[in-house]
Amino acid sequence: MAPLLFLFLLMIPVSNAFLDVNYYDETCPNAEKIIYETVHSASVSDPKVPARLLRMFFHDCFIRGCDASILLDSTPGNQAEKDGPPNLSLGAFYVFDAAKEKLEKACPRTVSCADIVAIAARDVVTISGGPYWSVFKGRKDGTVSRANETINLPAPSFNVTQLIQSFLQRGLGIKDMVALSGGHTLGFSHCSSFESRLRNFSPSQDTDPSMNPEFAETLKKKCPKPNKDKNAGEFLDSTAATFDNNYYKQIVAGNGVFGSDQALYNDYKTKWLVEMFADDQTLFFEEFVASMVMLGNVDIIEEGEVRVNCRVVN
Ligand code: HEM
Ligand SMILES: *[C@@H]1O[C@H](CO)[C@@H](O)[C@H](O)[C@H]1NC(C)=O
Ligand SMILES: *[C@@H]1O[C@H](CO)[C@@H](O)[C@H](O)[C@H]1NC(C)=O
Ligand SMILES: *[C@@H]1O[C@H](CO)[C@@H](O)[C@H](O)[C@H]1NC(C)=O
């Protein structure tokens, strides 16, 4: 029982004084319905959409807080966040354009792009078989987006100490870090994000020893050297279209795609959480929801603008 007790101690509830689940009840009562319908129809026609929109929320909140800085386009004088280095799997920006266009018709200048990002992330989790939760709303949109700030995102080569540090800088704890990493139950990675684990890993080891050797062989076949296919890669878990706890089971089996995923099982600070989430999907869902709410609170702007077009400042 000790680990469970510890888990509760890590779950210090943090409410946000500015955000409110009923924020648009009077001003735009159909806001969430409009967003859901747009996200749902896009997900049906393009199966890549759910993973992309979930990752978008993470990137948005980790750079300058949840302010939709990820949606701003580059301008002649400024290279924006979306054009920064780790933008390989970013995409599906058109879904936000479509949702925003409908929202501007239904209730002009009311629903922020930052809230659309947060609501869409919840919707894709639910659509993929994961939990539903009430999203806190009332974020305002930022006016700055810089490509060079993506350097502050955690890298797939990070060890647990570095991952903890990166999340702690945003007010997110160890449990949040492990639960949110469960977002890798959806989606795909290009070879470049995990290739260093497959060959010439260290002076003494060719492949990363934390990796299941059979899985290493599978990945080597998917990512041959030289590689002509720039789209080559691997799904982040074996049920990549379903939001479930299979990601944690894969890590226990040594089949984590990124070093940062596998590391969670090889450090005592996080191993017990991986084991608990692998054993109990209901617990994972509860903790994922709580941590997504925390992620949605990172450095939110209380005063500011509601962009009319999510790609440009007003
Ligand atoms: C813990 C630190 C994290 C690291 C180091 C990390 C790193 C990465 C990398 C390198 C990719 C693949 C990019 C590519 O090569 O295409 C990726 C994909 C993805 N990440 Fe993470 N990530 C982290 C946390 C998160 C969080 C917190 C979420 C959401 C809750 C998330 C959701 C996703 C999703 C859904 C994809 C798949 C995207 C797609 O298929 O289009 N990640 N991540
Ligand atoms: C990623 O960044 C490059 C330039 O760094 C840019 O040409 C490309 O369009 C970006 N991809 C997306 C999906 O924004
Ligand atoms: C990014 O570039 C701006 C100037 O364009 C600079 O002020 C800022 O310190 C840089 N940030 C990082 C993280 O390098
Ligand atoms: C984690 O990585 C950092 C940077 O490479 C390194 O300084 C540190 O010693 C590593 N920590 C552990 C516990 O391996």
Side-chain angles (χ1 to χ4, degrees):
M1 275 339 272
L4 206 60
L5 194 70
F6 187 46
L7 187 64
F8 287 124
L9 289 178
L10 290 176
M11 287 170 49
I12 304 158
V14 176
S15 60
N16 193 305
F18 310 108
L19 300 183
D20 182 353
V21 291
N22 301 315
Y23 191 80
Y24 295 117
D25 280 6
E26 318 262 281
T27 53
C28 196
N30 285 329
E32 297 206 33
K33 185 167 176 279
I34 291 169
I35 295 167
Y36 174 82
E37 280 166 4
T38 310
V39 167
H40 182 261
S41 75
S43 302
V44 169
S45 45
D46 179 359
K48 288 182 179 154
V49 162
R52 297 208 150 151
L53 299 192
L54 178 56
R55 187 172 188 223
M56 194 88 74
F57 178 56
F58 164 59
H59 277 214
D60 184 32
C61 294
F62 260 53
I63 309 284
R64 292 190 170 264
C66 312
D67 68 341
S69 53
I70 187 81
L71 299 186
L72 287 172
D73 280 345
S74 293
T75 56
N78 182 60
Q79 199 181 359
E81 216 173 293
K82 60 167 65 156
D83 294 323
N87 71 350
L88 273 175
S89 290
L90 289 181
F93 291 103
Y94 69 90
V95 183
F96 296 106
D97 297 333
K100 185 62 175 171
E101 202 178 317
K102 289 182 213 157
L103 288 167
E104 284 303 305
K105 282 193 188 115
C107 15
R109 297 176 175 263
T110 304
V111 182
S112 68
C113 298
D115 281 344
I116 303 175
V117 172
I119 292 164
R122 185 274 315 277
D123 287 342
V124 294
V125 168
T126 312
I127 287 168
S128 306
Y132 175 88
W133 65 96
S134 299
V135 174
F136 286 80
K137 297 164 288 278
R139 296 168 189 80
K140 291 290 190 286
D141 297 325
T143 54
V144 176
S145 178
R146 294 199 197 290
N148 66 348
E149 291 177 353
T150 56
I151 194 150
N152 296 324
L153 286 167
S157 57
F158 271 18
N159 62 33
V160 167
T161 310
Q162 294 170 299
L163 290 170
I164 290 174
Q165 172 72 10
S166 170
F167 279 68
L168 214 54
Q169 280 169 358
R170 279 93 178 169
L172 301 169
I174 295 177
K175 189 277 295 183
D176 297 312
M177 190 268 283
V178 178
L180 291 170
S181 294
H184 290 164
T185 181
L186 295 182
F188 177 87
S189 171
H190 296 81
C191 295
S192 55
S193 302
F194 55 83
E195 226 159 25
S196 61
R197 305 180 71 203
L198 304 178
R199 297 173 190 95
N200 299 321
F201 177 68
S202 73
S204 59
Q205 258 139 342
D206 195 41
T207 52
D208 183 342
S210 71
M211 200 178 224
N212 181 322
E214 277 176 42
F215 190 56
E217 286 313 309
T218 307
L219 292 187
K220 279 183 194 174
K221 284 191 192 112
K222 299 227 164 156
C223 303
K225 276 261 170 214
N227 191 347
K228 273 175 283 172
D229 180 5
K230 70 175 173 50
N231 295 320
E234 175 63 304
F235 290 101
L236 293 178
D237 95 6
S238 51
T239 56
T242 309
F243 193 97
D244 56 18
N245 68 338
N246 194 40
Y247 163 82
Y248 298 99
K249 294 182 182 167
Q250 295 296 321
I251 290 178
V252 171
N255 298 341
V257 173
F258 303 135
S260 55
D261 295 325
Q262 197 56 50
L264 301 177
Y265 190 61
N266 295 317
D267 187 303
Y268 74 95
K269 293 192 285 299
T270 48
K271 181 175 185 169
W272 63 283
L273 287 159
V274 171
E275 285 174 333
M276 280 173 58
F277 294 156
D279 283 349
D280 187 344
Q281 178 162 284
T282 307
L283 179 71
F284 164 54
F285 281 8
E286 285 166 9
E287 296 305 327
F288 182 80
V289 166
S291 295
M292 284 290 273
V293 172
M294 290 291 290
L295 179 58
N297 285 341
V298 174
D299 293 338
I300 54 140
I301 309 176
E302 315 141 38
E303 319 244 323
E305 65 179 36
V306 169
R307 269 177 235 150
V308 174
N309 173 345
C310 292
R311 293 174 179 270
V312 290
V313 298
N314 290 348

